[in-house]
């Protein structure tokens, strides 16, 4: 599957999430603790997105290589700070391409998106849903993968003006019905809010006084981490977290 995380709060260096904690995202790439049968390591690429100070548009750095092989990332992560971050490491579904453009986060303007899981029977299982997408969206998918398709479905609803939480929950419900047994842990942020789902995979939340961190696995053994039950939606800001059934 994959591992991902999202952060909102006071600006922190990327390294504070990717490298420094005892179970940082880079560690989860090669030593994950809770893959739930979805592979053994996350070596098929990575990505990190953030908002530069004063910018309303997210920027992104990603690669098809294992995160531990990127010689440039540690220096970038030490020199870059942001109040909003989304990062992911990838374990590609068997048969899908291992290319840079298949790695999350996917972007569109202020939005960053990640999918941790698999769509069973892709692509035929979700052909009916994809049929409603604009042809241009289908022709410009980041990659021919289930995750890129999920992003296209969510993005279409966001562009149509749906609230982020509704866009995510609607897509999850439609895909789960069309492709039973899919794993649909989605993570979406615009730099002000975090939207996450748990369908078939692990997720935890750490909510402090002025920051929220959502991660596939806790980054440290601290007591503030709260596991999110399967089949739930997380809607969070830097200071508030709401967890409800899907």
């Amino acid at each position: 599957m994959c591992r991902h995380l999202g952060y909102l709060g006071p600006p922190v260096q990327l390294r504070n999430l990717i490298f420094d904690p005892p179970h940082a995202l880079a560690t989860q790439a090669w030593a994950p603790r809770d893959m739930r049968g979805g592979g053994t390591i996350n070596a098929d690429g990575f990505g990190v997105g953030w908002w530069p100070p004063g910018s309303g548009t997210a920027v992104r750095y990603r690669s098809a290589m294992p995160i531990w092989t990127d010689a440039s990332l540690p220096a970038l992560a030490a020199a870059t700070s942001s109040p909003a971050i989304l990062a992911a490491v990838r374990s590609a579904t068997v048969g899908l391409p291992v290319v840079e453009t298949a790695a999350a986060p996917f972007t569109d303007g202020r939005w960053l998106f990640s999918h941790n899981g698999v769509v069973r029977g892709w692509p035929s299982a979700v052909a009916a849903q994809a049929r409603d997408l604009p042809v241009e969206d289908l022709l410009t998918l980041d990659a021919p993968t289930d995750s890129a398709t999920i992003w296209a479905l969510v993005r279409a609803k966001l562009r149509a003006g749906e609230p982020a939480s509704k866009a995510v929950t609607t897509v999850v419900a439609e895909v789960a019905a069309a492709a039973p047994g899919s794993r649909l842990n989605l993570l979406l942020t615009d730099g002000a809010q975090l939207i996450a789902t748990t369908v078939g995979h692990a997720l935890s939340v750490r909510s402090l006084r002025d920051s929220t961190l959502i991660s596939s696995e806790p980054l440290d053994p601290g007591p503030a981490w709260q596991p999110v039950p399967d089949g739930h939606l997380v809607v969070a800001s830097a200071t508030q977290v709401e967890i409800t059934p899907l």
Side-chain angles (χ1 to χ4, degrees), residues 131-150:
R131 193 175 299 122
D132 294 329
L133 291 171
V135 172
E136 184 176 351
D137 285 6
L138 291 172
L139 293 175
T140 57
L141 286 178
D142 283 53
T145 65
D146 52 355
S147 295
T149 305
I150 294 291

Side-chain angles (χ1 to χ4, degrees), residues 11-14 50-53 76-85:
V12 297
Q13 292 178 330
L14 302 184
W50 67 94
W51 282 259
L76 173 66
T80 305
S81 298
S82 178
I85 299 165

Side-chain angles (χ1 to χ4, degrees), residues 40-129:
T40 55
I41 61 173
N42 299 281
D44 298 318
F46 70 90
V48 56
W50 67 94
W51 282 259
S55 174
T57 301
V59 298
R60 172 183 61 191
Y61 179 82
R62 59 181 178 171
S63 169
M65 302 300 293
I67 193 171
W68 61 82
T69 68
D70 191 300
S72 299
L73 184 60
L76 173 66
T80 305
S81 298
S82 178
I85 299 165
L86 191 153
V89 290
R90 182 175 183 236
S91 175
T93 300
V94 174
L96 296 188
V98 178
V99 293
E100 177 183 313
T101 54
F106 302 101
T107 65
D108 185 60
R110 72 184 191 276
W111 296 104
L112 293 174
F113 174 83
S114 176
H115 167 222
N116 172 18
V118 61
V119 177
R120 303 296 183 190
W122 181 89
S124 58
V126 291
Q129 288 72 31

Side-chain angles (χ1 to χ4, degrees), residues 4-29:
H4 59 201
L5 62 80
Y7 169 85
L8 297 175
V12 297
Q13 292 178 330
L14 302 184
R15 62 177 292 172
N16 293 156
L17 305 175
I18 298 174
F19 292 114
D20 289 351
H23 197 56
L25 187 66
T27 303
Q28 293 180 31

Side-chain angles (χ1 to χ4, degrees), residues 160-231:
E162 288 195 12
S165 59
K166 182 180 179 182
V168 167
T169 55
T170 299
V171 169
V172 166
E174 291 176 349
V175 174
S182 295
R183 298 186 179 200
L184 300 168
N185 276 31
L186 309 189
L187 183 57
L188 175 72
T189 182
D190 61 356
Q193 60 182 326
L194 283 166
I195 310 295
T197 60
T198 53
V199 178
H201 230 310
L203 194 71
S204 292
V205 174
R206 188 191 72 188
S207 179
L208 303 179
R209 179 180 59 83
D210 58 355
S211 69
T212 297
L213 177 57
I214 298 176
S215 179
S216 296
E217 301 179 15
L219 305 192
D220 57 61
W225 288 98
Q226 174 186 358
V228 181
D230 196 24

